[in-house]
Amino acid sequence: MDHHRRVDTEITTRVDGVTRTVLVDTRTTLLDALRERLGTTSPKKGCDHGQCGACTVLLDGRRVLACLTLAVTTTGKDVTTADGLAPDGHLHPVQQAFLDNDALQCGYCTPGQVCSAVGALDELANGHPSHAGDVTTDPQLTRAEIAERMSGNLCRCGTYTNIITAVEQAARA
Amino acid sequence: MRPFDYLAPTDAATAVRTVATNPTATYLAGGTNLVDHLKLGITHPDLLVDTAAITTAGITDHHGGLLIGAATRNSDIAADHRVRTRYPALAEALLSGASGQLRNMATAAGNPLQRTRCPYFQDATTPCNKRRPGSGCAAIGGHTRGHAILGASDHCVATHPSDMAVALTALDATLHILGPDGPRTLPCTDLHRLPGTDPTRDTVLEHGDLITAIELPHNPLARRSRYRKVRDRASYAFALVSVAAALETTDGIITDARLAFGGVAHKPWRAYRAEQALLGQPANDTTYRTAAEAELTDAQPLNGLDGGNSFKVPLLTRTVIATLRNLDQR
Ligand SMILES: Cc1cc2nc3c(=O)[nH]c(=O)nc-3n(C[C@H](O)[C@H](O)[C@H](O)COP(=O)(O)OP(=O)(O)OC[C@H]3O[C@@H](n4cnc5c(N)ncnc54)[C@H](O)[C@@H]3O)c2cc1C
Ligand code: SF4
Ligand code: FES
Ligand code: FES
């Protein structure tokens, strides 16, 4: 195997429904590739260490942290950001529920919250258990379940109560 | 961050040879620990070898037990109905760790291999024998609230942070490994080391060893198992102490038991002495307390600028009692 350093690598990734090809340094995270190279700024950089959830996107439909994902690993994959959840400005039910319930203040954590909520509701619909329930039975849609499932998204403005209400509304929609 | 090559091989044996013969190469799985460490400057590999295409994702039935492919996501293990009913402690341990996003990324093999959350280890500007051999240990005499009370040394007092590994240790799981000399197996109880005079090595794995799967053995006892974690907030925090336990009783007498502790040592701590103390005894709080105390007779809490960690001894004792009591009533 050859060992000259292949630092710049071309990746082809579908971002919010559009196939994008870009040359990235192997060290580039998906978050930096989206924000700095592709102009997709809805995922936010809060901590850059996996601790806040502001960078949450859906990768092949599942919520992940873009700040701990290396861009080179996403070639051939499908990335959806909060932006992509509202094609042509048509709000996703989760986004509408955030507006209806005042589930944001400054809005910095919101795109990550929204992507996380979409992923969390999908997991709940698929019967995935959480720490808030009994693993041997099917999970129920309770506020405690929602709070536990959204615990990876911090909000410095403290809008948690309304976020739970919004996610609950979206789940029942 | 130092520049590195990235390879996504498809042949496991070739990949193992590549890593085994290159001391600066390292495997990349979910990246939730490794990418963080690249950013923090804790590790400086020249080559990342992606395990995505050389390990499998999925859980298969195996000799009455289960075989979990190394690439299986933590969330998918916790969601599997066979795991939830036959090995509930494992599902509970996984669900008590990290967040929904992280569990969707983290893999079966990466989780037990995650490194300590000792704040000095994670701060490349402080002395740390684990990061830089011979540089000293900034934790000793510093902040020790999260550190070890069992099995530590003068060289390192760090704890192992994985919840999953504690459950695997209690449930007698086995690792399937592909090394440069071929495949082999290793009991999870033997994977992690105590720090001794060489805290740089967390595990007994050799450089290049690839974990290919984790095997959960057939054991009806595991159906009555639980994981209980105590932490500073209700969610999204590492364990101060944790307990994985399984219990079998007949007419109120304990006939079989498994116990492992997290957050108290450099490795998931299988509590053999406590298990022995439980056998043949009535299933009640007195027995549970005696067993916990038997295991903790050698505990050596640390002083520290933050008040130290002597609180872990009574906290762990109470957590053992509560977990076993809850299992007996299940
Ligand atoms: C904010 C935050 C909170 C967290 N909270 C918790 C918590 O409460 N409890 C908990 O247990 N964990 C917690 N974690 C840690 C998380 O569970 C681990 O980072 C994760 O499980 C590691 O898995 P990975 O697949 O991402 O590993 P990676 O980061 O990809 O790799 C980890 C290590 O394993 C090696 N490796 C990976 N795969 C293999 C293989 N197949 N063979 C040999 N070596 C391999 C890599 O080289 C690397 O050294 C938290 C993490 C973060 C960022
Ligand atoms: S406890 Fe271990 S990991 Fe922490 S500073 Fe000391 S040597 Fe480093
Ligand atoms: S920016 Fe990714 S978790 Fe904080
Ligand atoms: S709305 Fe301001 S951080 Fe959440």
Side-chain angles (χ1 to χ4, degrees):
Chain A
M1 216 166 292
D2 67 44
H3 272 296
H4 66 95
R5 213 154 286 175
R6 240 174 1 107
V7 178
D8 285 321
T9 306
E10 191 177 87
I11 59 162
T12 300
T13 305
R14 249 172 95 83
V15 178
D16 292 337
V18 181
T19 302
R20 308 288 294 270
T21 297
V22 62
L23 201 63
V24 294
D25 183 301
T26 46
R27 292 170 287 184
T28 312
T29 61
L30 173 60
L31 180 61
D32 286 341
L34 289 169
R35 293 183 57 84
E36 312 293 337
R37 305 299 305 283
L38 296 170
T40 301
T41 54
S42 83
K44 298 292 183 275
K45 187 180 282 190
C47 64
D48 212 22
H49 289 282
Q51 298 173 352
C52 75
C55 64
T56 305
V57 299
L58 300 167
L59 187 63
D60 287 343
R62 302 180 70 167
R63 55 178 173 156
V64 300
L65 301 176
C67 74
L68 292 183
T69 303
L70 291 177
V72 285
T73 65
T74 63
T75 222
K77 295 192 179 167
D78 199 294
V79 178
T80 303
T81 71
D83 224 359
L85 288 172
D88 316 320
H90 245 58
L91 291 190
H92 186 281
V94 168
Q95 292 168 321
Q96 188 60 52
F98 267 64
L99 287 182
D100 293 348
N101 293 284
D102 236 348
L104 62 150
Q105 226 180 86
C106 77
Y108 195 80
C109 71
T110 312
Q113 300 276 5
V114 164
C115 285
S116 188
V118 170
L121 290 178
D122 199 47
E123 291 158 15
L124 196 59
N126 286 322
H128 285 209
S130 93
H131 180 67
D134 177 348
V135 298
T136 59
T137 60
D138 280 334
Q140 306 299 312
L141 181 74
T142 62
R143 289 182 70 87
E145 280 282 359
I146 294 169
E148 164 59 27
R149 286 161 195 266
M150 293 296 291
S151 74
N153 292 82
L154 306 188
C155 173
R156 292 310 285 269
C157 299
T159 56
Y160 298 108
T161 316
N162 291 2
I163 289 173
I164 295 171
T165 308
V167 177
E168 207 175 4
Q169 176 190 310
R172 302 198 193 282
Chain B
M1 209 188 289
R2 210 156 79 185
F4 53 77
D5 280 328
Y6 168 82
L7 289 177
T10 50
D11 180 61
T14 315
V16 167
R17 267 197 306 279
T18 303
V19 177
T21 55
N22 179 353
T24 69
T26 191
Y27 293 118
L28 170 74
T32 59
N33 199 222
L34 185 64
V35 175
D36 194 17
H37 286 179
L38 295 173
K39 293 183 185 191
L40 291 168
I42 293 176
T43 181
H44 315 91
D46 289 334
L47 172 66
L48 295 195
V49 175
D50 198 328
T51 57
I54 51 170
T55 51
T56 54
I59 304 177
T60 49
D61 294 310
H62 186 79
H63 302 311
L66 295 175
L67 194 65
I68 302 171
T72 316
R73 302 293 151 172
N74 285 186
S75 47
D76 291 334
I77 304 170
D80 188 281
H81 273 279
R82 294 163 296 181
V83 174
R84 287 160 66 180
T85 52
R86 283 150 60 182
Y87 308 92
L90 177 58
E92 290 176 346
L94 287 162
L95 293 170
S96 76
S99 67
Q101 294 93 314
L102 285 159
R103 292 190 295 270
N104 277 341
M105 305 169 72
T107 61
N111 189 320
L113 296 180
Q114 63 177 293
R115 307 208 66 193
T116 184
R117 304 303 282 203
C118 170
Y120 305 102
F121 173 76
Q122 293 180 300
D123 175 356
T125 65
T126 60
C128 169
N129 289 325
K130 187 181 277 299
R131 209 176 354 86
R132 203 153 22 92
S135 63
C137 169
I140 296 175
H143 291 256
T144 55
R145 192 163 181 273
H147 290 77
I149 54 170
L150 289 167
S153 75
D154 293 344
H155 299 266
C156 177
V157 294
T159 50
H160 194 263
S162 164
D163 293 297
M164 178 195 193
V166 181
L168 293 176
T169 300
L171 298 173
D172 296 310
T174 301
L175 297 173
H176 289 223
I177 297 162
L178 182 64
D181 299 328
R184 67 179 196 278
T185 59
L186 177 75
C188 280
T189 45
D190 296 345
L191 172 65
H192 296 92
R193 298 173 66 249
L194 289 177
T197 55
D198 181 12
T200 59
R201 295 182 62 203
D202 298 346
T203 72
V204 301
L205 295 184
E206 297 295 335
H207 186 73
D209 279 346
L210 176 74
I211 296 180
T212 54
I214 299 177
E215 180 180 344
L216 294 170
H218 169 74
N219 189 354
L221 173 66
R223 281 183 181 272
R224 288 231 304 183
S225 65
R226 274 218 69 176
Y227 186 76
R228 182 136 179 192
K229 175 173 176 178
V230 183
R231 44 185 161 174
D232 280 331
R233 50 177 192 245
S235 186
Y236 204 21
F238 286 91
L240 291 168
V241 303
S242 70
V243 172
L247 194 71
E248 184 77 55
T249 56
T250 309
D251 301 329
I253 300 296
I254 298 165
T255 52
D256 205 357
R258 297 286 185 282
L259 262 187
F261 304 155
V264 292
H266 195 259
K267 61 178 187 179
W269 190 269
R270 178 73 179 259
Y272 290 113
R273 226 189 270 168
E275 289 175 8
Q276 279 307 316
L278 291 170
L279 289 182
Q281 301 300 313
N284 61 34
D285 284 9
T286 310
T287 299
Y288 306 150
R289 175 176 296 279
T290 306
E293 286 172 353
E295 195 67 45
L296 287 168
T297 47
D298 297 339
Q300 288 192 308
L302 300 160
N303 297 322
L305 296 174
D306 53 359
N309 66 5
S310 57
F311 72 93
K312 285 190 178 184
V313 176
L315 183 60
L316 181 59
T317 305
R318 289 198 295 269
T319 309
V320 168
I321 296 170
T323 310
L324 291 172
R325 185 197 295 143
N326 184 296
L327 265 176
D328 183 43
Q329 290 164 358
R330 214 174 223 196

